Amino acid sequence: MILTPIPASEVGPISRRSVALFGDAVGDHNPVHFDPEFARRAGLPDTVVHGPLTVALVVDRLVEEFGAERLLNIDVRLRGPVFPGDRLTVEPRAFGEADRGVAVCRANGDEVATAIVILAGDPDQ
Amino acid sequence: MNVETSPGVNHDLKGQVLVDTEVVVDPDRLEMLSAAIGSATGKVTATLVALFGPTLAGQDSVIGPLGLDLRRTLQGGQSYEWHRPFRAGERVGVTIDVEDIVEKQSLDLITVRAVFRGSEGELIQRQRSVFVQMREATEPSTEATG
C-alpha cells in the first residue's frame, strides 16, 4: 500500500492574539487559555493554546499541501501542552502499515500531538 | 497546588443528546478564525474547522451539564470527518451527544460527538472531542493539552 507522503512543515510562533481570535471565533473562553493566574493555579506554567487551534494549524498545513478537497479525516491525540509563542514542527509519521499522519513537536522536542490523516485518492478511499 | 473539589463528571449523560439545534455559520467568525490561523490558506481552512461542537451553543450547553471542572479538565483529542466545507452564512443543523464516558485510573475520559448537517439534511461534518478530567483534586494530566 502506497500512501501519499506528507512533507514536514512548521507552524507558528503561535501568538496570544491568535489564541484570543480563536477563542472568540469558536466561543471557547475557558480561562486556562487567557488567564495566566488561572493557568498557574491549574499547575501550568502559562496559559495554553486551545487544542483545536493546534489542530486547525495542522489542518492548515495539510490544506496548503493537498487542498481542502482531499482531506477526508483527521484524528488527533493531544499529548502535551502548547504555549503562546511556541513554534511547532509537523513531521510525517507512520502508524502501522495502514495509517499515516503526522507528529507535532515543540521546539524543545516535546511531542504535543499525533494525528492520523486520511486523504482522498489514497488506497481504499 | 490547591484546588477545590467539585461533584465530578455526570456519568448519567453517557449516550444522551445535549444539543439539537440550528446555527448560522457566521462570516465574521470565519474571518476571525482565518486571522487566528494567519496563513494564505487560512480562509479555506477556517471553513473546515468553523464550528467547535462543545462550545458552539455556549459553554453551559455541554461543559456545564457534564459537570466538567475547567480547573482540572483539558482536551485530549479532536477528530474531524469532512464531507464538505461549511459555507459562510449558511444555516446548519447540529446534534451533540455524549458518545462515551470512561473511567481510567484517576481520570474521566469524556467523548463528545457533534454531527453537522446542511439545509437538505446532507452530512457536512462529524467531530469528536475527548476531554480528560482528573477525578481527584491533584495536578492536571500531562497527557492532555487544552
Side-chain angles (χ1 to χ4, degrees):
Chain A
M1 176 179 295
I2 299 175
L3 298 171
T4 307
I6 297 175
S9 59
E10 293 188 357
V11 167
I14 304 171
S15 68
R16 292 184 190 276
R17 178 174 180 273
S18 285
V19 174
L21 285 166
F22 184 84
D24 286 343
V26 303
D28 184 345
H29 298 108
N30 182 342
V32 77
H33 305 301
F34 305 103
D35 182 346
E37 179 56 30
F38 183 96
R40 278 191 285 275
R41 280 189 276 117
L44 295 160
D46 195 355
T47 56
V48 295
V49 173
H50 300 80
L53 174 54
T54 299
V55 175
L57 294 170
V58 172
V59 170
D60 189 58
R61 298 298 85 214
L62 298 170
V63 167
E64 182 179 48
E65 185 64 31
F66 301 108
E69 63 281 357
R70 284 199 66 191
L71 298 186
L72 297 181
N73 193 300
I74 189 168
D75 186 2
V76 183
R77 183 169 178 186
L78 298 163
R79 298 178 176 277
V82 175
F83 300 103
D86 273 349
R87 291 178 186 271
L88 304 176
T89 58
V90 182
E91 300 171 348
R93 173 76 59 87
F95 302 95
E97 287 188 10
D99 291 325
R100 115 339 233 107
V102 295
V104 183
C105 296
R106 299 176 66 211
N108 66 3
D110 289 348
E111 186 174 273
V112 295
T114 53
I116 295 173
V117 177
I118 300 175
L119 297 174
D122 278 339
D124 300 327
Q125 300 307 316
Chain B
M1 170 177 90
N2 293 314
V3 296
E4 299 171 19
T5 58
S6 60
V9 174
N10 182 356
H11 286 243
D12 292 340
L13 289 180
K14 180 177 175 177
Q16 299 295 308
V17 173
L18 299 182
V19 175
D20 187 5
T21 189
E22 291 186 347
V23 297
V24 173
V25 180
D26 183 342
D28 292 337
R29 290 193 175 208
L30 279 177
E31 286 294 328
M32 280 192 283
L33 193 48
S34 174
I37 294 167
S39 73
T41 47
K43 284 184 184 295
V44 175
T45 303
T47 65
L48 300 178
V49 298
L51 299 173
F52 179 54
T55 56
L56 69 77
Q59 299 225 119
D60 290 337
S61 63
V62 173
I63 305 297
L66 275 169
L68 298 185
D69 181 344
L70 296 181
R71 295 166 299 184
R72 53 197 176 91
T73 301
L74 292 170
Q75 191 166 350
Q78 177 71 21
S79 72
Y80 294 94
E81 175 190 305
W82 294 287
H83 293 262
R84 69 162 172 82
F86 290 110
R87 297 167 184 145
E90 75 170 327
R91 181 175 291 276
V92 301
V94 55
T95 303
I96 300 172
D97 68 355
V98 181
E99 185 176 48
D100 203 5
I101 301 175
V102 176
E103 294 181 12
K104 185 178 179 182
Q105 298 176 337
S106 61
L107 305 173
D108 284 304
L109 305 177
I110 305 101
T111 303
V112 175
R113 179 173 51 187
V115 179
F116 299 89
R117 293 185 182 278
S119 58
E120 303 298 319
E122 79 279 14
L123 185 59
I124 299 174
Q125 182 179 113
R126 288 194 178 96
Q127 293 179 16
R128 282 187 174 81
S129 307
V130 179
F131 296 96
V132 182
Q133 175 161 300
M134 302 289 292
R135 270 191 279 124
E136 304 295 330
T138 56
E139 297 288 332
S141 168
T142 57
E143 290 274 316
T145 68

